[in-house]
């Protein structure tokens, strides 16, 4: 069985936003079933001024509402922002409680992937990948699943989806985040778009381990990539126009996973392995 993660994201209306003072305008809430009931981004700020996600702000803080009713806040200093819209919940260390995964961008060193944990009465960054190293360089998470079949969840992201397009996979170990796989020629975002979900996790080859479907760097092909036993491309399927909007996962008549790709012009296309 594939050990994969699905996080639930809601886009609430004004009434929901009013119950979360300081929430960013593009409010998306991650909902979990473990220690963290909800997580969202708050305190919009223009101090970084990269604006890769189509709005003139980034988030200055992360908030989490716990199952016990407490609401905790991680407020960043003036030297960084959360260059993200969707907190992601996952139990990365296997202890039965969720961590929060977000994109943390440093004003002098660019984006990093941060893992935030609940530590007593506060939220704390407990692990982080090295920043890209240059301001205004970004990364976009692509999926969270057990990609290598070792029973622990891993995190995949695309480093610089507009300029480099390198897919990197990391796992949380006691000493921090460690990179376990990497491959080029990928992208999962259109510059200035609010659509962050141009990828899908599923067991496409039927080996019981999660794979990733993600566009090529020019977004004109859909690549099916496996990581179990080493990184390899299972297939590459041409698209009639570039992928531009969030993907979805469906099953065909035989129960096999099929990717619903969002194309230019609002069209949708179903692609299977």
């Amino acid at each position: 069985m594939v050990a994969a993660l699905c996080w639930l994201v809601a886009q609430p209306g004004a009434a929901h936003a009013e119950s979360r003072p300081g929430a960013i305008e593009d409010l998306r809430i991650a909902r979990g079933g473990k220690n963290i009931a909800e997580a969202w981004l708050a305190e919009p700020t223009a101090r970084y001024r990269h604006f890769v996600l189509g709005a003139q702000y980034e988030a200055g803080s992360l908030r989490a509402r716990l199952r016990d009713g407490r609401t905790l806040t991680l407020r960043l200093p003036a030297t960084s922002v959360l260059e993200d819209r969707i907190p992601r919940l996952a139990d990365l260390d296997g202890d039965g409680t969720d961590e929060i995964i977000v994109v943390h961008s440093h004003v002098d060193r660019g984006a990093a992937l941060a893992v935030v944990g609940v530590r007593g009465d506060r939220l704390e960054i407990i692990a982080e990948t090295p920043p890209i190293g240059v301001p205004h360089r970004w990364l976009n998470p692509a999926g969270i699943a057990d990609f290598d079949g070792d029973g622990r969840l891993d995190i995949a992201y695309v480093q610089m989806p507009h300029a480099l397009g390198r897919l990197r996979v990391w796992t949380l170990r006691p000493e921090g985040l460690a990179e376990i796989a990497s491959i080029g020629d990928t992208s999962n975002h259109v510059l200035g778009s609010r659509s962050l979900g141009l990828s899908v996790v599923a067991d496409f080859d039927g080996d019981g381990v999660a794979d990733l479907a993600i566009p090529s760097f020019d977004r004109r092909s859909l690549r099916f990539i496996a990581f179990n036993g080493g990184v390899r491309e299972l297939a590459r399927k041409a698209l009639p126009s570039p992928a531009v909007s969030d993907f979805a996962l469906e099953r065909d008549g035989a129960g096999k996973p099929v990717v619903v790709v969002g194309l230019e012009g609002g069209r949708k296309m179903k692609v299977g392995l």
Side-chain angles (χ1 to χ4, degrees), residues 219-221 237-243 263-264 267-269 271:
R219 293 179 283 106
R220 291 184 175 274
S221 297
K237 302 295 182 74
L239 301 173
S241 60
L263 301 172
E264 282 186 343
R267 293 180 296 161
K268 303 286 185 180
M269 179 181 180
V271 185

Side-chain angles (χ1 to χ4, degrees), residues 15-45:
H16 292 82
E18 289 170 3
S19 69
R20 297 174 178 86
I24 61 173
E25 180 179 347
D26 188 11
L27 177 59
R28 309 184 198 185
I29 300 171
R31 304 186 190 278
K34 296 183 179 179
N35 58 318
I36 300 173
E38 297 180 343
W40 66 94
L41 299 173
E43 299 183 11
T45 175

Side-chain angles (χ1 to χ4, degrees), residues 71-248:
T71 297
L72 307 182
T73 301
L74 172 67
R75 183 168 289 109
L76 297 180
T79 54
S80 67
V81 298
L82 296 173
E83 197 170 13
D84 210 338
R85 294 293 181 267
I86 308 173
R88 301 151 193 87
L89 301 177
D91 181 5
L92 297 176
D93 56 10
D95 69 350
T97 63
D98 280 337
E99 287 76 44
I100 308 171
I101 297 92
V102 288
V103 180
H104 181 202
S105 290
H106 302 261
V107 297
D108 59 345
R109 293 176 292 156
L113 186 80
V115 177
V116 179
V118 177
R119 296 295 184 265
D121 289 327
R122 61 196 178 100
L123 297 177
E124 179 182 321
I125 296 177
I126 60 173
E128 185 168 300
T129 63
I132 291 172
V134 180
H136 297 170
R137 296 295 184 268
W138 183 64
L139 62 86
N140 187 27
I144 303 175
D146 177 13
F147 288 116
D148 59 0
D150 68 352
R152 295 172 68 99
L153 294 174
D154 312 304
I155 312 166
Y157 68 68
V158 178
Q159 181 172 324
M160 298 165 58
H162 319 118
L164 176 65
R166 185 145 203 93
L167 179 68
R168 305 178 70 178
V169 183
W170 300 75
T171 195
L172 183 63
R173 294 176 178 161
E175 63 273 18
L177 286 163
E179 187 171 12
I180 61 172
S182 177
I183 188 172
D185 189 20
T186 62
S187 181
N188 61 345
H189 187 253
V190 178
L191 185 62
S193 172
R194 296 187 177 190
S195 295
L196 299 178
L198 277 67
S199 59
V200 165
V201 172
D203 178 11
F204 291 104
D205 61 0
D207 69 350
V209 179
D211 310 307
L212 186 68
I214 193 165
S216 57
F217 184 64
D218 63 6
R219 293 179 283 106
R220 291 184 175 274
S221 297
L222 184 65
R223 303 184 67 191
F224 294 85
I225 300 173
F227 305 90
N228 188 25
V231 184
R232 65 192 188 281
E233 184 178 77
L234 300 171
R236 181 186 294 243
K237 302 295 182 74
L239 301 173
S241 60
V244 298
S245 60
D246 292 344
F247 292 4

